[in-house]
Amino acid sequence: MRKKILITGASGFVGSHLVEAAKNLDFEVHAAVRRSSNITEIESFVDQFVFPDFSSVIELKKLFEEYQYHYIIHAAALTKAKEEAMLLDVNVGYTQHILQAAFAADMPLERLVYVSSLAAVGPIAYTSDRLIDESTPYSPVTVYGRSKCTSEQMIKADFSDKPLSVFRPTAVYGPREKDLFILFDTMNKGLDPYIGRKPQKLSFIYVKDLVDVLLKGCVVPQEGLQFYNVTDGNIYSKYEMADIFKETLRRKLLRIHIPFGIVKKVAQISETIYKNSKRTPVIYPERLNELTAENWGCDISKAKNKLGFNPKYNLKEGLGESLLWYKKNSWL
């Protein structure tokens, strides 16, 4: 009998890759999406679409008992919003409802995987003699990071005895990703911009490696509640991505360093302009905390040792593959 897996956020960037990978591993794949979601990319990999009401524990429990899931991966999240309360409602409240319903439901649930973020922990000092690991104290620098931090604290308080794995991926990139793509689109126009000249230590994870470890998190035996930091295991300079872009697409780029004060002023103006809009600007004051953070270097030894996680892609390999996909599909 094929095991049933439910993936929330299935039409999103990570979710769409999860659906495909789960299908290729012969799971019976159920995709939780909104009725308005574009499902073109995932339709052929999904056995059943469901439309949960995340605001209701009762309705979620009914859904879980109807379909009898063996695994749930909760990948849906809100990454930005006009009000912090909205992020907390979705990233904390909805997560709590899913966990309450899943562990109360009469179904053969073996493990639930929650996709958090390294933003929940936050960056460390450039000169730190230690990498970010699972014991690093919380110090998020964005509202999104605070919402993920709060969700993790809720999980530790309320679900510490449950079969639950929490993953904290660093910056995720790959085909169909739209946030980092803004940077690639800028580079494609010949510009290679930076905020200030301070050095940074950055980490990344290719989406194929991320979905691999998330699915391992479902099926590999583990004890109770576990937390895992996820990167490709390497640390990169702030210029590495642009250098790979130039080499892969054979482009010349004009490297420019914009003073932090100027970017901060632009971010403040953008925030004011978008104040009465439903949309949020690309750069706003708080996001500068993340973009200019000194060190996202990360220790992934726990995921390697407990789950057998072995990233197949470093930044050069993964970004090279991604850029060629963007080019082939006319994004660049």
Side-chain angles (χ1 to χ4, degrees):
M1 182 186 74
R2 290 195 301 160
K3 296 288 183 79
K4 288 185 182 179
I5 186 169
L6 173 68
I7 297 169
T8 73
S11 62
F13 164 53
V14 172
S16 65
H17 286 272
L18 263 172
V19 164
E20 182 176 355
K23 186 66 173 180
N24 289 337
L25 290 174
D26 202 33
F27 286 100
E28 181 179 326
V29 179
H30 289 213
V33 296
R34 296 185 299 270
R35 293 191 183 276
S36 59
S37 297
N38 183 346
I39 60 173
T40 305
E41 295 285 351
I42 63 173
E43 200 162 10
S44 61
F45 305 112
V46 174
D47 295 287
Q48 178 72 50
F49 284 99
V50 296
F51 310 95
D53 178 1
F54 293 127
S55 67
S56 171
V57 176
I58 293 173
E59 292 303 315
L60 285 168
K61 185 170 178 286
K62 286 180 182 176
L63 178 77
F64 296 158
E65 290 182 338
E66 177 181 357
Y67 288 111
Q68 295 290 299
Y69 295 117
H70 298 90
Y71 308 106
I72 296 173
I73 299 181
H74 178 35
L78 196 60
T79 59
K80 53 188 177 181
K82 304 297 283 188
E83 302 292 338
E84 184 164 358
M86 186 179 296
L87 279 163
L88 292 172
D89 283 346
V90 173
N91 294 344
V92 183
Y94 287 3
T95 299
Q96 185 176 41
H97 294 168
I98 290 168
L99 301 188
Q100 287 173 338
F103 294 122
D106 182 11
M107 64 176 177
L109 183 68
E110 296 180 24
R111 197 150 196 92
L112 193 151
V113 165
Y114 172 53
V115 185
S116 184
S117 170
L118 201 60
V121 180
I124 55 178
Y126 188 86
T127 55
S128 175
D129 58 359
R130 292 188 60 183
L131 298 173
I132 299 168
D133 63 21
E134 287 76 12
S135 67
T136 301
Y138 291 114
S139 187
V141 294
T142 63
V143 61
Y144 169 69
R146 290 196 296 274
S147 73
K148 285 296 192 178
C149 171
T150 304
S151 72
E152 290 193 12
Q153 291 171 325
M154 174 271 295
I155 286 170
K156 290 177 180 179
D158 298 342
F159 300 97
S160 61
D161 60 337
K162 302 302 181 184
L164 175 58
S165 294
V166 178
F167 288 84
R168 298 166 174 160
T170 184
V172 189
Y173 67 95
R176 299 194 294 274
E177 195 279 333
K178 294 178 180 177
D179 288 336
L180 278 172
F181 171 74
I182 295 171
L183 177 60
F184 305 145
D185 191 40
T186 301
M187 290 179 185
N188 199 48
K189 295 177 173 66
L191 294 177
D192 180 22
Y194 296 90
I195 302 171
R197 293 182 177 272
K198 288 184 178 180
Q200 292 176 284
K201 295 178 181 178
L202 305 177
S203 58
F204 300 94
I205 182 72
Y206 189 40
V207 68
K208 290 183 180 180
D209 280 330
L210 175 58
V211 301
D212 173 65
V213 75
L214 293 176
L215 289 165
K216 279 183 168 66
C218 289
V219 301
V220 174
Q222 300 151 73
E223 297 177 356
L225 175 62
Q226 299 291 336
F227 287 78
Y228 301 99
N229 295 338
V230 183
T231 77
D232 66 11
N234 298 300
I235 298 172
Y236 302 97
S237 78
K238 67 191 294 181
Y239 301 119
E240 211 134 354
M241 214 168 228
D243 292 341
I244 294 169
F245 184 97
K246 288 189 291 186
E247 182 181 343
T248 302
L249 298 185
R250 299 182 180 180
R251 295 294 304 273
K252 290 184 178 181
L253 302 179
L254 176 62
R255 182 163 290 174
I256 55 176
H257 296 83
I258 307 169
F260 177 81
I262 293 176
V263 179
K264 183 178 180 180
K265 193 66 178 177
V266 170
Q268 291 170 337
I269 293 170
S270 296
E271 188 173 55
T272 301
I273 291 173
Y274 279 80
K275 185 176 182 180
N276 296 317
S277 171
K278 293 182 179 179
R279 299 167 59 201
T280 54
V282 174
I283 293 182
Y284 43 93
E286 192 181 55
R287 194 174 183 210
L288 293 182
N289 297 335
E290 189 174 81
L291 294 175
T292 60
E294 295 180 355
N295 189 351
W296 291 101
C298 200
D299 180 354
I300 62 168
S301 57
K302 182 179 178 182
K304 285 185 169 183
N305 295 334
K306 280 192 169 287
L307 301 176
F309 176 47
N310 183 28
K312 296 181 175 64
Y313 295 84
N314 60 28
L315 186 61
K316 183 175 181 180
E317 294 162 341
L319 186 55
E321 189 172 288
S322 303
L323 291 171
L324 292 177
W325 184 91
Y326 286 126
K327 195 75 173 175
K328 180 181 178 181
N329 289 273
S330 300
W331 286 44
L332 290 174

